[in-house]
Amino acid sequence: MLNDDISIIPQPVRCLRKKGEVILDEDYIITVNEKAKRCGEYLASLLRPSLKLKIQETSPSKAVNQEKSINLLINDRYNHVGREGYVLDISDPSINVVANEEEGLFHGIQTFRQLLPLEIETRKILENLKIHLPCLEIEDYPRFKWRGFMLDEARHFQGKEIVKKLLDIKALLKLNVFHWHLTDDQGWRIEIKRYPELTKIGSKRKGTQVGGFISKKRKNVSHEGFYTQEDIKEIIAYAQERFIKIIPEIDMPGHCMAALATFPELSCSGGPFEVPQTFGIKKDVLCIGKEKVFQFVQNILEEIIELFPSKIIHIGGDEVPTSRWKNCPDCQKRMIENNLKKEKQLQTYFSNRIMDFLNSKGCKTMGWNQILSKELKNNVIIQYWMGNKKTILENLRKGKKFVMSKFGSVYLDYNYKFTPLRKIYKYEPIPKKLEKSYHENVLGIEAPLWTEWISNERRLFWQAFPRLTAVAENAWSLKRNKNLESFKMRLEKFNQRLRFLGGGHARMHEVDPPFFKTLFGIFTIFKEPKGVADLF
Ligand code: ACM
Ligand code: ZN
């Protein structure tokens, strides 16, 4: 049975309200078994400023049922909840969170956190605080193992503090994948030691298109920024403490103008180029005929693999025009040598070579669905955003793994008139026609946030929230436990917590426009959304 007075997002699998309540006060201690130590420290750091709780390590048998204690335990008592699931039991006087693995325990702590008063999030000392908690039992585990959010920092660099804030909020929502889009036409945002020019030149542009994709207007102010490898390490550590995997994306062979402005010799024509101030698809892309392009890409990927613990590397591959390859002697020679009939096959040639390279380093390749073709090798994760449904089904049936990011349903960068909250909430990532035996090939859901029109934090939060909250429930909660009305009620409370965490969100009257206002919503995708969130 689910209880709407217990307000948790994403909705847990099973929640049983029991009689009575617990009053959490300063007499409580946190006990942990050996494996749960790290989670114990984390919980203490959440609670300590408000409640001066001690941590005590105990053997599992002693830890349970101790008077006035929050017991964090990793053991195999509830095997069926898997590595990400947990059981939370609040009884008078003891509170138990039990999981098989640290990830699960961490998720249990996030659920517990949502039962605590909002003031906890301020990390201020709250004198004589007594926290009333309902007695209950929650059993919980995710529907999908991939619950992602993508941030494009190429179009607008946001910086470490915003990324950390987003990681904190992701943890609260049990979103476990952060896909970091670090390069694109309009900016190269990651230090590569072998090619310092990439950030010296490629991380700066002189101005920025404003007003929307068909607008001729420019903001003539330079935009720049990048992460040093030390910054990246700091953010990786921050994400790891929150059990969030970071998937880095180096987009290629298209969306590469920042790299080509730095090294024009990697293009078909030789340039020269500038880092573009405008958005949309650019004709100039990496030349597939020149060997030095492969050397360049591999040298970059070597540093990426070294830096990121992720064994999955995203190589983009979206929106690659072939017109330059048609007129390039090197590309044409490559086609003849490899018996390729169409320019489009050059992209597959490129992807397969990069995949082989990544495989040889023990990594798996991920790419946008435009890398798909009959000749593409199988060991790949495809991120679906748009395209032929039949092709997607065929590839799912062939065993390819997919992350679903259908652009009209989970892209966070559009106006609410095109992508209202209810549309995101109702998104079902498993295609209706897909037979059950292939369902496991859908790894989960990921919501991208492209930042062409997002130059500051207030705009960012307006676009992302509350929609990312709906993505989280969609990706975690069982289908049978989803309910839009209940979600919206729980959202009121969640939004308050978000504000206490220094975040913000679009206002509730903006997020679900009446049907007639969404009828022509498609036309808003060419225009710059202007909404801003209040941040506290
Ligand atoms: C994309 O939206 N170009 C993947
Ligand atoms: Zn070429």
Side-chain angles (χ1 to χ4, degrees):
M1 195 187 85
L2 298 166
N3 297 268
D4 284 335
D5 62 323
I6 297 164
S7 189
I8 297 158
I9 292 180
Q11 185 73 287
V13 171
R14 192 171 67 78
C15 174
L16 181 71
R17 176 78 164 87
K18 299 193 292 193
K19 268 205 194 116
E21 62 170 23
V22 168
I23 300 174
L24 193 59
D25 58 24
E26 293 192 357
D27 298 333
Y28 269 77
I29 58 165
I30 297 173
T31 78
V32 293
N33 66 357
E34 176 68 24
K35 286 186 185 164
K37 254 162 127 173
R38 210 155 65 114
C39 284
E41 283 297 335
Y42 174 83
L43 177 62
S45 75
L46 276 180
L47 296 176
R48 220 179 244 142
S50 319
L51 288 168
K52 297 177 198 70
L53 303 186
K54 287 192 213 69
I55 300 187
Q56 203 174 78
E57 225 176 295
T58 57
S59 67
S61 56
K62 269 170 74 185
V64 183
N65 296 329
Q66 192 166 324
E67 289 285 288
K68 289 210 169 191
S69 58
I70 305 172
N71 309 305
L72 303 184
L73 292 169
I74 293 182
N75 60 34
D76 55 8
R77 185 161 159 206
Y78 302 107
N79 226 322
H80 65 283
V81 300
R83 61 177 297 126
E84 293 203 89
Y86 63 90
V87 172
L88 164 65
D89 179 56
I90 301 181
S91 299
D92 192 13
S94 73
I95 296 167
N96 297 305
V97 195
V98 185
N100 296 302
E101 303 284 343
E102 278 186 301
E103 284 100 314
L105 195 56
F106 186 79
H107 291 145
I109 290 170
Q110 297 306 329
T111 297
F112 180 59
R113 179 180 177 185
Q114 291 195 30
L115 299 169
L116 300 172
L118 302 169
E119 288 76 12
I120 286 286
E121 308 295 352
T122 63
R123 309 294 168 92
K124 287 191 195 120
I125 295 173
L126 305 168
E127 294 301 334
N128 304 321
L129 185 71
K130 282 195 173 21
I131 298 175
H132 293 252
L133 294 171
C135 288
L136 52 74
E137 191 182 297
I138 288 177
E139 182 183 290
D140 200 13
Y141 48 85
R143 178 177 178 205
F144 292 110
K145 62 180 167 202
W146 191 294
R147 304 178 300 279
F149 165 69
M150 187 211 83
L151 181 64
D152 160 22
E153 289 218 69
R155 274 54 179 270
H156 279 100
F157 180 72
Q158 306 292 335
K160 263 196 300 199
E161 291 319 306
I162 294 181
V163 169
K164 284 185 179 173
K165 199 187 275 189
L166 289 167
L167 289 170
D168 272 336
I169 298 163
K170 276 167 65 76
L172 184 60
L173 286 167
K174 305 184 178 89
L175 289 166
N176 64 344
V177 177
F178 177 52
H179 168 180
W180 210 357
H181 185 83
L182 286 162
T183 70
D184 211 299
D185 293 318
Q186 294 78 12
W188 187 280
R189 307 282 176 227
I190 177 169
E191 176 192 24
I192 301 295
K193 300 242 192 236
R194 195 174 167 128
Y195 302 113
E197 304 88 345
L198 272 175
T199 39
K200 199 156 164 240
I201 297 169
S203 74
K204 300 174 188 166
R205 65 172 183 261
K206 290 183 188 147
T208 300
Q209 181 179 13
V210 290
F213 287 102
I214 40 184
S215 159
K216 296 264 185 292
K217 276 196 225 148
R218 297 272 184 291
K219 185 163 91 181
N220 290 315
V221 178
S222 66
H223 180 79
E224 64 181 279
F226 70 91
Y227 293 103
T228 64
Q229 295 202 355
E230 284 311 303
D231 292 333
I232 299 267
K233 284 180 194 160
E234 185 184 324
I235 290 174
I236 290 170
Y238 199 83
Q240 278 179 330
E241 282 165 22
R242 287 153 185 78
F243 298 93
I244 295 170
K245 292 179 213 67
I246 300 187
I247 310 292
E249 179 185 349
I250 306 295
D251 205 346
M252 59 182 101
H255 287 286
C256 264
M257 287 301 294
L260 294 183
T262 314
F263 298 113
E265 63 273 24
L266 302 176
S267 70
C268 291
S269 71
F273 308 107
E274 279 199 342
V275 180
Q277 302 176 36
T278 57
F279 302 113
I281 301 171
K282 308 297 176 196
K283 284 201 177 90
D284 288 288
V285 300
L286 292 176
C287 174
I288 309 299
K290 298 185 175 77
E291 258 328 280
K292 63 185 169 199
V293 166
F294 290 87
Q295 225 11 275
F296 171 77
V297 168
Q298 289 177 9
N299 288 339
I300 288 171
L301 291 177
E302 256 173 17
E303 287 193 33
I304 298 288
I305 293 166
E306 181 74 26
L307 196 54
F308 288 89
S310 167
K311 292 274 175 252
I312 299 170
I313 308 291
H314 203 304
I315 61 163
D318 56 322
E319 300 174 324
V320 189
T322 55
S323 57
R324 295 291 188 251
W325 297 342
K326 257 193 187 93
N327 299 313
C328 168
D330 294 326
C331 286
Q332 291 303 313
K333 186 159 167 263
R334 177 81 78 198
M335 285 176 67
I336 294 166
E337 280 168 4
N338 291 276
N339 198 22
L340 309 178
K341 303 280 176 295
K342 290 186 181 149
E343 276 73 20
K344 181 90 189 92
Q345 290 172 292
L346 279 172
Q347 187 175 354
T348 307
Y349 170 87
F350 175 83
S351 305
N352 278 337
R353 263 187 79 171
I354 301 304
M355 267 167 76
D356 283 345
F357 173 76
L358 287 173
N359 267 338
S360 76
K361 302 280 171 189
C363 291
K364 207 179 180 106
T365 304
M366 180 160 180
W368 297 102
N369 63 263
Q370 279 138 316
I371 70 170
L372 278 174
S373 77
K374 283 204 176 68
E375 298 90 27
L376 186 76
K377 298 188 177 175
N378 218 23
N379 188 19
V380 62
I381 300 175
I382 300 294
Q383 185 162 17
Y384 168 67
W385 70 286
M386 70 152 40
N388 188 316
K389 281 189 193 142
K390 229 175 99 195
T391 312
I392 305 304
L393 274 170
E394 270 168 27
N395 280 283
L396 278 163
R397 288 180 184 132
K398 266 199 246 161
K400 283 205 176 63
K401 303 287 182 205
F402 274 71
V403 170
M404 302 309 233
S405 300
K406 189 177 172 190
F407 88 102
S409 298
V410 283
Y411 272 33
L412 301 172
D413 41 303
Y414 295 128
N415 198 296
Y416 283 86
K417 288 186 186 134
F418 180 59
T419 315
L421 183 66
R422 59 178 178 270
K423 188 170 170 193
I424 293 212
Y425 192 81
K426 287 180 180 162
Y427 177 51
E428 171 49 47
I430 296 184
K432 269 201 190 86
K433 291 192 177 153
L434 188 69
E435 298 77 6
K436 217 172 164 99
S437 56
Y438 302 116
H439 283 194
E440 64 177 26
N441 291 339
V442 176
L443 301 179
I445 307 177
E446 186 177 296
L449 181 61
W450 302 100
T451 58
E452 283 94 339
W453 322 114
I454 302 179
S455 61
N456 63 60
E457 193 178 358
R458 294 185 64 200
R459 285 273 307 111
L460 188 149
F461 273 91
W462 188 86
Q463 293 289 151
F465 292 96
R467 290 187 287 203
L468 190 56
T469 318
V471 173
E473 182 143 315
N474 228 350
W476 177 281
S477 303
L478 298 186
K479 231 165 128 178
R480 66 172 143 89
N481 283 339
K482 279 178 55 188
N483 177 300
L484 184 61
E485 293 315 307
S486 150
F487 170 72
K488 281 190 166 177
M489 260 165 18
R490 286 176 284 121
L491 190 54
E492 299 281 346
K493 178 86 175 283
F494 188 89
N495 282 344
Q496 286 174 19
R497 192 170 298 272
L498 188 59
R499 299 199 292 268
F500 268 81
L501 282 167
H505 52 86
R507 293 157 197 86
M508 289 312 278
H509 71 266
E510 296 172 298
V511 301
D512 258 331
F515 178 68
F516 71 92
K517 286 201 174 167
T518 63
L519 268 177
F520 300 103
I522 183 81
F523 297 109
T524 65
I525 73 176
F526 303 107
K527 281 195 0 202
E528 172 171 354
K530 298 272 194 206
V532 289
D534 291 326
L535 300 177
F536 293 85

